[in-house]
Amino acid sequence: MDIKRIIAATILSALILIGFDYFMPKPHEDAHPDATKISAPAQLSSSAPSVSGEEPVSAPEARRIPVQGTDVEGSINLRGALLDDLVLTKYRETLAKDSPLVRLLDHDGSSQPNFVVIGWNNAAGSNARVPDVNTVWESSDQKLAPDHPVTLHWDNGAGLLFTIHFALDQHYMFSVKQEVANSSGQPVALLPFQRVERNYLPSETGSFTAHEGPIAVMNGRLQDESYKNLHKGGDHPDHTYWAQSGNGGWGGISDKYWLTAIAADPDAPVTATFGYVPGEKGSYRIGFVSQNSQQIMPGASLAQASHVFAGAKVDSLLEGYAHTLRIPDFDKAIDFGWFSFLTRPMLHLLHWLYSYLGNFGLALMALTLIVKIILFPLASKAAASSARMRLLSPKVQEIREKGKDDPLAMNQKIMALYRQEGVNPAGGCLPILIQAPIIFCLYKILNISIDERHAPFFGWIRDLSVPDPTNLLNLFGLLPFDPTSIAPYLHISIWGTALGITFWLLQRQTMVTMDPAQAKIMQFMPLVYVFFMSSFPSGLLVYYTWNNLLTFAQQSYIQRRTKLPVPVTR
């Protein structure tokens, strides 16, 4: 037995395990989704006050205007004109009937403060009294609804009347219009801003397959950053990590399924920023500020429009807003990845199959089958090449044994045999390389499709986005103990076991060409998959199990039909 090959096989196995643990998405605890906390965009440490910095919680509670939408409910806080209370009416935190609705925005002082701030800064040389987060606004409106906009106003007592108009559509989009009327007798220069703030670091901060965190599109270019990178901005005098100027654009904080973002007026010259203000909890801030100060002459007024999105990342909805509201590449809030030209249509097809079949698991299986059929010619070519190599393996081994004293002659005989049989040793590589991006995209959509969240399959699988709850080690709950309390990997589910069996079947098809030393090591890999993948989302296990079965059937069919042009004889 070649000890070098055993060591190589062991290292390969370790890399596979590390790769699965590092790159594969872990079960996503969606108990309390992220909201956002952002301060005045381009001037994060400017005169624009911070909610947490001014401790408004010590001030008397101001009236709130209820928000009663089709897909959202909450309220606007008249103290600071803050949008800091919002839940999504179509999504719950868990499958329990009494589970709370998903909360996207929450007030400062809560366990996960996320909110939207809208206001004005003084331009250089101006010292007008502007509203801040402690300002109590007035409104005669009693609620904000799709058919009932609201208007907030505040008089600074020195001739400036500030007004904010809010409107809500049937889903998750708020229209915002900021106005200032000047009757002071003196010109005033102001910088309107909108910002999203998040005063905590979420437990889930993204993965290899899906971005979670600060995101923006400016000048047609997507900019996404990690929370870790934003911390670097905390060392700068203005706490800004990234800034970009242009006309229009959007930016905010993206979570796995949710998005809170500001969309600037498409024709307005603005500056978008990412920043982090250090503190007891720290404040992540993403938003926009006007590039140029707005000069308001006596007796005149000026207005600036923007939009606030706070809701679920439904691809069709985001695409609709991108077209109707001229929000550039708004659907890029969904991380389609480098192969978006493949991932996007596949996600649309999966959504259509789901709407037609009514079961996300069946839709996923149907999509996998469609992809297999489309890729069959490439897979057939790769499998046929591999099968021919296996048929030639005994003859190749015989040539190597006889010619081991003359490597050059040995290789010449092997290549001559390949030419005689019309076999290209690398013939299966190109088809596999072409298939790889498509298979990756199919896997990726499982991590970005909101349809999978809380989607049941059959039997005991009530949510495909979480692990299979069964465990063979406690006889599916008959024994009164939880093996995972001892070690997390002691979760051997039914679907995890089924996946291991399909890997074993595939391994039997390919191990005939593997070195015996490597085969002894690799034969344990299906068992390793069972332990490591049982805790992955059950939708992923369903996909892999079904895909392995299709691959096994496909390769069996191809192998039965594969023959050598010239039968090998000894």
Side-chain angles (χ1 to χ4, degrees):
M1 182 177 294
D2 191 342
I3 189 63
K4 292 183 178 180
R5 293 184 181 275
I6 294 178
I7 294 175
T10 303
I11 294 175
L12 176 62
S13 302
L15 290 175
I16 292 174
L17 296 181
I18 294 173
F20 263 91
D21 186 58
Y22 183 79
F23 291 114
M24 299 289 268
K26 305 302 184 293
H28 195 284
E29 297 297 333
D30 189 34
H32 187 64
D34 311 340
T36 14
K37 174 173 187 171
I38 131 184
S39 73
Q43 299 174 332
L44 294 173
S45 62
S46 70
S47 59
S50 167
V51 172
S52 56
E54 299 208 0
E55 300 180 356
V57 292
S58 62
E61 186 69 22
R63 181 170 75 93
R64 286 180 173 271
I65 296 180
V67 176
Q68 299 176 355
T70 305
D71 292 343
V72 294
E73 291 181 354
S75 62
I76 298 173
N77 191 350
L78 288 184
R79 180 174 297 280
L82 301 175
L83 186 57
D84 64 352
D85 171 28
L86 201 71
V87 296
L88 310 183
T89 60
K90 291 185 177 179
Y91 299 95
R92 294 188 178 274
E93 293 180 2
T94 68
L95 288 172
K97 294 181 178 180
D98 58 348
S99 173
L101 296 172
V102 166
R103 176 165 290 280
L104 192 56
L105 302 181
D106 210 350
H107 63 88
D108 189 54
S110 65
S111 60
Q112 294 181 321
N114 315 267
F115 44 87
V116 178
V117 183
I118 299 165
W120 291 262
N121 286 332
N122 276 298
S126 179
N127 60 356
R129 184 187 176 201
V130 296
D132 59 28
V133 295
N134 283 323
T135 298
V136 178
W137 293 70
E138 297 180 354
S139 177
S140 60
D141 297 298
Q142 298 303 310
K143 70 174 181 178
L144 172 62
D147 59 348
H148 195 288
V150 302
T151 299
L152 280 56
H153 55 85
W154 177 74
D155 192 327
N156 76 343
L160 294 181
L161 179 63
F162 294 84
T163 305
I164 304 178
H165 303 276
F166 286 98
L168 176 63
D169 72 357
Q170 295 293 330
H171 299 291
Y172 310 111
M173 188 64 79
F174 294 81
S175 298
V176 179
K177 185 178 180 182
Q178 298 171 252
E179 287 186 287
V180 181
N182 183 7
S183 59
S184 66
Q186 298 293 330
V188 177
L190 301 177
L191 294 165
F193 69 82
Q194 310 83 33
R195 68 187 187 248
V196 179
E197 297 190 11
R198 169 166 290 172
N199 285 353
Y200 74 98
L201 181 65
S203 57
E204 295 291 339
T205 57
S207 65
F208 174 71
T209 55
H211 171 74
E212 295 184 48
I215 187 172
V217 169
M218 285 297 293
N219 301 316
R221 184 174 181 179
L222 175 68
Q223 180 77 23
D224 52 21
E225 293 292 346
S226 65
Y227 292 98
K228 182 179 180 180
N229 281 346
L230 257 66
H231 273 258
K232 300 175 183 177
D235 299 329
H236 300 161
D238 61 356
H239 304 304
T240 299
Y241 172 74
W242 171 86
Q244 180 70 55
S245 297
N247 289 340
W250 64 273
I253 296 182
S254 176
D255 302 304
K256 183 172 184 179
Y257 298 120
W258 326 115
L259 173 70
T260 305
I262 305 292
D265 185 285
D267 301 317
V270 295
T271 298
T273 61
F274 293 168
Y276 174 77
V277 178
E280 181 179 351
K281 294 183 178 180
S283 176
Y284 301 93
R285 305 179 175 187
I286 293 86
F288 293 88
V289 67
S290 179
Q291 278 188 45
N292 307 313
S293 61
Q294 295 190 358
Q295 191 81 8
I296 310 172
M297 302 304 294
S301 63
L302 283 177
Q304 178 166 301
S306 60
H307 288 88
V308 175
F309 179 93
K313 295 195 297 187
V314 180
D315 56 320
S316 59
L317 194 59
L318 296 180
E319 289 178 1
Y321 286 135
H323 289 94
T324 59
L325 301 180
R326 296 168 57 201
I327 304 176
D329 296 323
F330 197 43
D331 55 326
K332 285 186 178 180
I334 300 175
D335 186 3
F336 291 107
W338 292 347
F339 302 103
S340 60
F341 63 95
L342 294 175
T343 311
R344 194 187 304 269
M346 291 173 67
L347 182 62
H348 289 177
L349 178 56
L350 177 62
H351 179 76
W352 180 84
L353 290 169
Y354 180 36
S355 64
Y356 182 76
L357 296 173
N359 184 294
F360 187 84
L362 291 180
L364 177 61
M365 296 172 74
L367 177 61
T368 307
L369 178 60
I370 291 172
V371 172
K372 281 289 185 183
I373 292 174
I374 294 175
L375 296 180
F376 180 79
L378 290 174
S380 177
K381 185 175 182 180
S385 177
S386 177
R388 287 182 174 183
M389 292 289 291
R390 284 195 295 272
L391 291 175
L392 288 177
S393 181
K395 185 63 175 179
V396 171
Q397 187 63 30
E398 179 184 342
I399 295 174
R400 285 175 175 168
E401 291 176 356
K402 291 181 178 180
K404 57 185 177 181
D405 296 331
D406 189 354
L408 181 60
M410 176 190 67
N411 289 331
Q412 289 176 344
K413 290 181 180 180
I414 292 176
M415 295 308 297
L417 176 63
Y418 286 156
R419 286 194 298 270
Q420 179 184 6
E421 298 294 347
V423 175
N424 182 358
C429 295
L430 182 59
I432 292 176
L433 290 176
I434 296 175
Q435 293 180 71
I438 300 176
I439 300 302
F440 175 76
C441 291
L442 184 59
Y443 159 75
K444 184 178 178 64
I445 63 176
L446 286 176
N447 297 289
I448 62 177
S449 174
I450 196 172
D451 289 333
E452 184 188 29
R453 184 181 185 271
H454 292 180
F457 188 43
F458 292 109
W460 64 93
I461 302 297
R462 300 179 59 203
D463 184 355
L464 286 166
S465 65
V466 299
D468 180 348
T470 61
N471 196 332
L472 296 178
L473 297 182
N474 64 4
L475 301 181
F476 312 120
L478 293 178
L479 300 180
F481 81 99
D482 181 10
T484 59
S485 62
I486 302 174
Y489 57 80
L490 294 180
H491 179 203
I492 305 178
S493 64
I494 293 178
W495 273 102
T497 303
L499 177 63
I501 293 173
T502 60
F503 273 122
W504 175 76
L505 290 174
L506 287 176
Q507 197 177 73
R508 290 193 62 187
Q509 284 186 320
T510 58
M511 282 184 65
V512 291
T513 60
M514 189 176 294
D515 180 87
Q518 292 177 332
K520 289 182 178 296
I521 299 296
M522 297 303 292
Q523 66 183 354
F524 293 102
M525 287 307 298
L527 185 60
V528 172
Y529 286 133
V530 172
F531 277 94
F532 273 81
M533 296 194 67
S534 284
S535 60
F536 281 66
S538 51
L540 189 64
L541 301 187
V542 170
Y543 159 65
Y544 271 127
T545 302
W546 175 241
N547 183 69
N548 287 351
L549 288 174
L550 292 177
T551 301
F552 178 81
Q554 176 181 269
Q555 291 188 170
S556 298
Y557 171 78
I558 294 171
Q559 288 174 6
R560 286 196 301 268
R561 294 173 57 89
T562 301
K563 298 179 181 179
L564 290 172
V566 181
V568 176
T569 57
R570 291 183 177 274

